[in-house]
Amino acid sequence: MELPAREQQMYIYTNAKLFAFAVVGVLFIMFAFYMGNSCKWANELPNNNLPTSKQRDPSGSLNYKSSLPTQHRLPGPCTCPDGFTVLKDQIPKDQYEELMQRRAKEFQQYKARTNSILSKLLFALPNSPLQYPIQGVIVRPLTATAIPGLALHAEEGTSYKVFLTVSNGVLTTETPTAEATVQGSGETKLIIESSSLLVLNDLLAKVSYTSTIYHINTGDLVTFQFENYEAVFPITIQQPHVPVLYDMGTDISSQVTIITKTFLRYKQLRVLLDSIRKFYSDIKVIIADDSLQPESVTGENIQHYIMPPAQGWFAGRNLAVSQVTTKYFLWVDDDFLFSEKTKIEKLVEVMEAVPELDVVGGSVQGNRFYFSILYEEGDENEGGCLYRKSGGKFHRLPGYPQCHLASGVVNFFLARTDAMQRVRFDPKLQRVAHSEFFMDGLGSLMVASCGDVIIDHQPKTQENRNPTYNKFRHPERSEGKFKLQLHFFKNHLKCIRYG
């Protein structure tokens, strides 16, 4: 039905007004969103104005202040919530200042050994005519090596001029033809200019880098410039490693050594050995023994090493691991018990299938006792914050649903011998120790826990109780305090929590 003329006008007016309100509303929301994100982006990228100051050095190279950050932000202080132990409170007040000075000096030396110029944050600016390698340029120290992939893709012009600059080496290219000039060959700054883009790119393709310092693992940054464009890319200076390989042989005995540490528990040790021989008759067993009055432990493929008395758990582990000649070793406590479910081959299968792994833990009577370690670096003065979370894990190991990645595992694990020797068990920790090894190995050891390989625990009976052993087994309060003091200095920690 057709509306009267006046009602049609009112209808059109009303719709037009609603449309205008809608448009204004949308524009307001978009403006608010833009302003909010502008503030956010301004906070995330400080000094994000375009560079306004551009100058050329005497050679003609363009210099300007980049609008992007040049390095990662330094970590700020980490926080220690309720439940954390503040470690400086464990240090005697009359020793604190001197200890802090020694710790600060040692931490600076640690950074000098571990930091690299290759950790510098680099950005690729948009729409650049510069072609260059962004990753994978590795050179041997003091050895000339071609830099692959250098080229210029510029619009047609009368002349083309590029600049290459390094700091820890020198750059060279071939002697140019009459159509090009090269300045600085054999120096830290190389300038190539030509009226022919083809000739220029041919010289760029023949640029070589030679480091001028001998270092087994460091790097350099190459700055590549053309007109207003600048790119920076890394070169890794690295001495190649000589491979150290283990012959896996044909059976488990040539692949794995079983190691343990014993102290005053010879009854349990002999039960363990009998159970091993029931399932693995030829495998080598290494025993580190710091008992007060050592007894003889003999047998085929058994190596029994006597230590000075009561040296502690980690000192014994170091001794035992130092004598391993196989690719892997299996750590067991001296009161464990092998059963049909203690299949070492399954752990070896996982390690061989995932060569990045260094440690694979099993289960002790169904308990895996894995944990995760959450660590914040903190600042240089106070140190980091560390939380060991019992039961913490990351995700399943691809291809092995019974296994999870973690930071640490139970005292029943298969380990890669050379990886464990690099981390080492700190012999200062005699009785209060296990998680501490995995703390030292955080970032160096790849760890997993698999629940389908199980070892038993010998029952505790009145017959195998030893009052002297129990006296050493349970640490005094002073040993716990010493461990916290050790974390404060050695691990540069501000606080720690065991959860």
Side-chain angles (χ1 to χ4, degrees):
M1 182 179 69
E2 187 175 349
L3 295 172
R6 180 172 178 80
E7 290 184 14
Q8 286 184 1
Q9 290 176 353
M10 290 296 294
Y11 179 80
I12 293 171
Y13 174 77
T14 301
N15 282 348
K17 186 163 64 173
L18 289 173
F19 179 78
F21 277 126
V23 170
V24 171
V26 170
L27 290 174
F28 179 81
I29 292 171
M30 291 177 64
F31 178 77
F33 176 81
Y34 173 78
M35 290 301 294
N37 279 288
S38 295
C39 294
K40 177 184 175 183
W41 296 329
N43 287 333
E44 290 178 350
L45 287 177
N47 303 322
N48 62 339
N49 294 324
L50 292 174
T52 56
S53 175
K54 300 182 180 180
Q55 295 179 340
R56 292 186 181 272
D57 66 19
S59 67
S61 175
L62 182 69
N63 292 321
Y64 59 84
K65 291 186 177 180
S66 172
S67 63
L68 296 170
T70 57
Q71 61 184 13
H72 292 289
R73 293 179 183 176
L74 294 174
C78 57
T79 57
C80 301
D82 291 343
F84 278 71
T85 301
V86 178
L87 298 180
K88 70 177 183 179
D89 297 342
Q90 307 297 316
I91 308 298
K93 292 183 178 180
D94 61 337
Q95 301 176 18
Y96 180 75
E97 290 299 329
E98 184 180 347
L99 188 74
M100 281 293 290
Q101 292 177 11
R102 298 202 305 272
R103 188 179 84 151
K105 178 182 177 182
E106 188 67 19
F107 184 65
Q108 292 303 317
Q109 292 181 345
Y110 165 80
K111 290 204 308 178
R113 293 195 308 273
T114 57
N115 285 1
S116 169
I117 191 172
L118 301 183
S119 64
K120 183 178 180 180
L121 192 61
L122 303 177
F123 291 88
L125 297 178
N127 301 320
S128 172
L130 300 172
Q131 175 185 302
Y132 53 93
I134 61 173
Q135 180 178 295
V137 181
I138 302 174
V139 305
R140 286 184 294 157
L142 309 178
T143 304
T145 306
I147 301 177
L150 290 177
L152 178 66
H153 301 275
E155 296 180 355
E156 186 175 349
T158 58
S159 181
Y160 307 91
K161 188 176 186 179
V162 296
F163 305 83
L164 290 142
T165 308
V166 295
S167 57
N168 294 331
V170 295
L171 298 163
T172 58
T173 189
E174 284 193 353
T175 303
T177 64
E179 298 179 81
T181 60
V182 173
Q183 300 176 50
S185 186
E187 301 176 9
T188 59
K189 189 164 191 174
L190 182 67
I191 305 170
I192 305 175
E193 185 173 11
S194 177
S195 58
S196 167
L197 186 59
L198 187 65
V199 171
L200 181 91
N201 280 330
D202 183 61
L203 290 170
L204 281 174
K206 295 168 182 173
V207 170
S208 291
Y209 172 88
T210 307
S211 71
T212 52
I213 58 170
Y214 180 80
H215 197 292
I216 62 171
N217 190 23
T218 185
D220 204 344
L221 295 177
V222 183
T223 301
F224 186 20
Q225 294 173 297
F226 168 71
E227 294 183 348
N228 291 350
Y229 300 99
E230 177 182 292
V232 180
F233 62 90
I235 288 180
T236 300
I237 304 169
Q238 192 173 80
Q239 174 62 49
H241 296 274
V242 176
V244 178
L245 308 179
Y246 289 86
D247 184 356
M248 288 284 284
T250 58
D251 61 10
I252 196 69
S253 298
S254 59
Q255 300 165 0
V256 178
T257 302
I258 297 174
I259 68 172
T260 191
K261 154 78 174 57
T262 195
F263 177 73
L264 301 178
R265 296 205 295 192
Y266 290 106
K267 290 181 181 178
Q268 291 92 327
L269 176 63
R270 291 187 172 95
V271 171
L272 167 68
L273 293 174
D274 288 343
S275 73
I276 292 173
R277 288 293 175 246
K278 183 177 178 180
F279 300 99
Y280 296 97
S281 58
D282 297 324
I283 200 166
K284 183 187 292 185
V285 181
I286 294 177
I287 304 162
D289 185 353
D290 63 345
S291 298
L292 303 179
Q293 295 179 330
E295 298 179 11
S296 177
V297 180
T298 59
E300 190 171 353
N301 282 333
I302 291 177
Q303 296 180 359
H304 184 204
Y305 292 92
I306 305 298
M307 303 168 61
Q311 291 301 297
W313 197 14
F314 272 14
R317 276 189 173 183
N318 280 332
L319 172 58
V321 173
S322 73
Q323 299 306 303
V324 174
T325 59
T326 52
K327 184 175 182 177
Y328 303 113
F329 69 82
L330 183 78
W331 173 266
V332 296
D333 284 355
D334 60 358
D335 59 350
F336 283 172
L337 192 68
F338 274 58
S339 72
E340 294 85 356
K341 296 181 180 180
T342 314
K343 299 292 186 183
I344 305 175
E345 293 86 351
K346 288 186 176 182
L347 297 177
V348 172
E349 177 190 340
V350 174
M351 293 281 272
E352 286 291 293
V354 189
E356 298 90 345
L357 286 174
D358 299 298
V359 181
V360 175
S363 169
V364 179
Q365 290 185 327
N367 298 310
R368 292 162 67 181
F369 298 112
Y370 49 74
F371 56 89
S372 60
I373 298 174
L374 309 178
Y375 170 64
E376 293 181 65
E377 292 177 88
D379 66 13
E380 290 195 5
N381 182 46
E382 292 186 321
C385 303
L386 188 146
Y387 174 34
R388 190 214 65 179
K389 183 180 180 182
S390 295
K393 58 186 178 183
F394 303 113
H395 57 77
R396 293 187 186 277
L397 187 66
Y400 294 90
Q402 76 279 17
C403 304
H404 287 84
L405 292 170
S407 300
V409 292
V410 70
N411 288 334
F412 170 54
F413 57 82
L414 186 78
R416 195 175 300 277
T417 302
D418 53 3
M420 301 296 268
Q421 288 173 338
R422 285 194 297 270
V423 175
R424 203 177 74 101
F425 301 90
D426 191 340
K428 290 182 179 179
L429 297 169
Q430 295 185 315
R431 278 167 283 279
V432 188
H434 179 65
S435 303
E436 291 68 24
F437 168 75
F438 292 100
M439 292 176 189
D440 289 349
L442 187 66
S444 299
L445 299 177
M446 194 77 168
V447 182
S449 174
C450 300
D452 61 335
V453 181
I454 302 171
I455 198 167
D456 288 336
H457 200 288
Q458 297 177 35
K460 293 178 180 176
T461 64
Q462 193 63 37
E463 184 182 69
N464 60 26
R465 292 185 185 277
N466 186 323
T468 306
Y469 171 83
N470 290 336
K471 177 183 175 183
F472 282 89
R473 174 67 179 84
H474 301 290
E476 298 178 358
R477 182 183 179 89
S478 60
E479 291 186 74
K481 188 177 182 69
F482 170 77
K483 182 180 75 169
L484 296 175
Q485 293 173 345
L486 187 66
H487 284 317
F488 177 77
F489 191 102
K490 185 182 81 170
N491 301 124
H492 199 251
L493 290 182
K494 172 183 177 182
C495 56
I496 192 169
R497 180 184 177 186
Y498 292 86

